Amino acid sequence: MSSLSRELVFLILQFLDEEKFKETVHKLEKESGFFFNMRYFEDSVTNGEWEEVEKYLSGFTKVDDNRYSMKIFFEIRKQKYLEALDKRDHAKAVEILAKDLKVFSTFNEELFKEITMLLTLQNFR
């Protein structure tokens, strides 16, 4: 993308932010991949909005882009899993394990077995 296009995107982001179009700002940040809003990302993490965290992050990197990307996606999904276990929502925990965390089992099977074992505990803490 040309330098002019980049500048135009930044101007649009600035305008949308000033006009309080927050969702649109974050969607354009994610889709353009030009600006990673760390404050928004931190707020989403702090508030436990894991789906939004992963969706926003995926605009900038994919799970298999590099080992750092893989690590952060693993940690996000692991946190979702642990929160489900903490709420004693075993159905949700199993769903997260099978759908979200299973992809990491090929990279570290031992760790995957350990987090799977947490399902069998009354109190995983």
Side-chain angles (χ1 to χ4, degrees), residues 40-54 76 79-80 83 87:
Y40 174 72
F41 186 74
E42 287 174 347
D43 289 345
S44 296
V45 168
T46 302
N47 295 330
E49 299 166 353
W50 304 115
E51 298 300 325
E52 180 58 26
V53 167
E54 192 165 335
I76 291 166
Q79 185 62 35
K80 282 183 358 186
E83 286 182 12
K87 293 175 186 171

Side-chain angles (χ1 to χ4, degrees), residues 59-86:
F60 300 91
T61 188
K62 303 294 177 241
V63 173
D64 56 358
D65 279 355
N66 57 57
R67 66 188 185 105
Y68 301 108
S69 295
M70 186 175 294
K71 176 80 172 141
I72 194 164
F73 278 102
F74 174 76
E75 292 299 329
I76 291 166
R77 293 172 183 184
K78 183 177 79 173
Q79 185 62 35
K80 282 183 358 186
Y81 174 71
L82 293 174
E83 286 182 12
L85 285 177
D86 194 43

Side-chain angles (χ1 to χ4, degrees), residues 18-110:
E18 288 171 0
E19 295 299 317
K20 308 286 188 250
F21 292 109
K22 296 297 182 193
E23 277 186 49
T24 308
V25 166
H26 302 308
K27 187 140 181 94
L28 182 57
E29 288 168 352
K30 185 180 94 171
E31 288 181 4
S32 70
F34 289 157
F35 179 73
F36 187 85
N37 187 331
M38 192 61 171
R39 180 176 296 137
Y40 174 72
F41 186 74
E42 287 174 347
D43 289 345
S44 296
V45 168
T46 302
N47 295 330
E49 299 166 353
W50 304 115
E51 298 300 325
E52 180 58 26
V53 167
E54 192 165 335
K55 218 170 22 172
Y56 187 72
L57 189 60
S58 68
F60 300 91
T61 188
K62 303 294 177 241
V63 173
D64 56 358
D65 279 355
N66 57 57
R67 66 188 185 105
Y68 301 108
S69 295
M70 186 175 294
K71 176 80 172 141
I72 194 164
F73 278 102
F74 174 76
E75 292 299 329
I76 291 166
R77 293 172 183 184
K78 183 177 79 173
Q79 185 62 35
K80 282 183 358 186
Y81 174 71
L82 293 174
E83 286 182 12
L85 285 177
D86 194 43
K87 293 175 186 171
R88 295 185 172 17
D89 187 348
H90 288 297
K92 181 74 174 168
V94 168
E95 178 187 330
I96 293 167
L97 191 63
K99 191 181 101 194
D100 296 339
L101 289 168
K102 181 79 173 153
V103 298
F104 300 103
S105 66
T106 57
F107 301 102
N108 192 336
E109 193 171 332
E110 192 60 37

